[in-house]
Amino acid sequence: MSFFSQMESVLGAADTPLAQEYIVAHEFGHHIQNLLGTMRAADRSGTGATSDSVRLELQADCYAGVWVHYAASTVDPDTGVPFLVEPTREEVRTALDAAEAVGDDHIQERSGSQVDADSWTHGSSEQRVRWFTVGMEQGSVQACDTFAVAGSGL
């Protein structure tokens, strides 16, 4: 739980419910990757903006977006209401801010380091926002295949 406080105090992202849910959904995305065999198939030893490590992280961001897409439109059979109230533009912005805050470039800048794309393991802020948005807008696991995209398209 301390990560959520650090997200705001250290990384500069708002600590809001949807931002927290994005982080949890991203981590659940890694579980999905494990179940699908994506983790085993990826070469996680490399670094860099187009590495498998970055592709895994961006895919998990995309899966988090897919979760937001469906959680806001899927009705809980026990209560008859959606699992997640349709997020407002501002709430979505806080989730996007959280995605930006955990980008390798943002973390390197905030620490006073030179931005070095060759050392990335999680992707840039822009990449993370883009892939979360793809998942949220398209609501499709198939749209999250970051391994099928050329490096320039990540």
Side-chain angles (χ1 to χ4, degrees):
M1 296 303 292
S2 65
F3 178 76
F4 297 129
S5 297
Q6 290 175 349
M7 194 168 61
E8 187 167 27
S9 64
V10 177
L11 299 175
D15 183 14
T16 65
L18 191 61
Q20 291 178 2
E21 291 161 349
Y22 150 71
I23 297 293
V24 172
H26 169 94
E27 295 306 323
F28 192 76
H30 287 311
H31 177 65
I32 293 168
Q33 290 169 326
N34 192 41
L35 292 174
L36 295 174
T38 311
M39 287 282 204
R40 275 187 311 282
D43 175 9
R44 294 183 284 162
S45 65
T47 61
T50 62
S51 67
D52 281 4
S53 298
V54 167
R55 290 173 188 275
L56 282 169
E57 294 300 327
L58 299 178
Q59 186 175 60
D61 284 334
C62 190
Y63 288 166
V66 171
W67 176 80
V68 170
H69 177 90
Y70 284 103
S73 61
T74 301
V75 174
D76 180 340
D78 296 328
T79 65
V81 297
F83 287 107
L84 179 71
V85 174
E86 182 77 31
T88 65
R89 285 186 188 269
E90 182 56 32
E91 290 168 328
V92 169
R93 184 71 238 158
T94 66
L96 295 174
D97 287 347
E100 285 179 339
V102 293
D104 285 322
D105 56 338
H106 182 77
I107 292 170
Q108 289 172 341
E109 287 172 348
R110 287 194 62 99
S111 71
S113 300
Q114 183 78 13
V115 174
D116 177 15
D118 290 335
S119 68
W120 291 356
T121 58
H122 285 69
S124 71
S125 297
E126 187 273 331
Q127 288 173 313
R128 299 199 73 169
V129 166
R130 182 167 6 109
W131 282 99
F132 174 78
T133 303
V134 165
M136 189 174 61
E137 290 178 353
Q138 295 190 26
S140 166
V141 170
Q142 292 76 19
C144 297
D145 188 358
T146 56
F147 292 90
V149 175
S152 61
L154 282 177

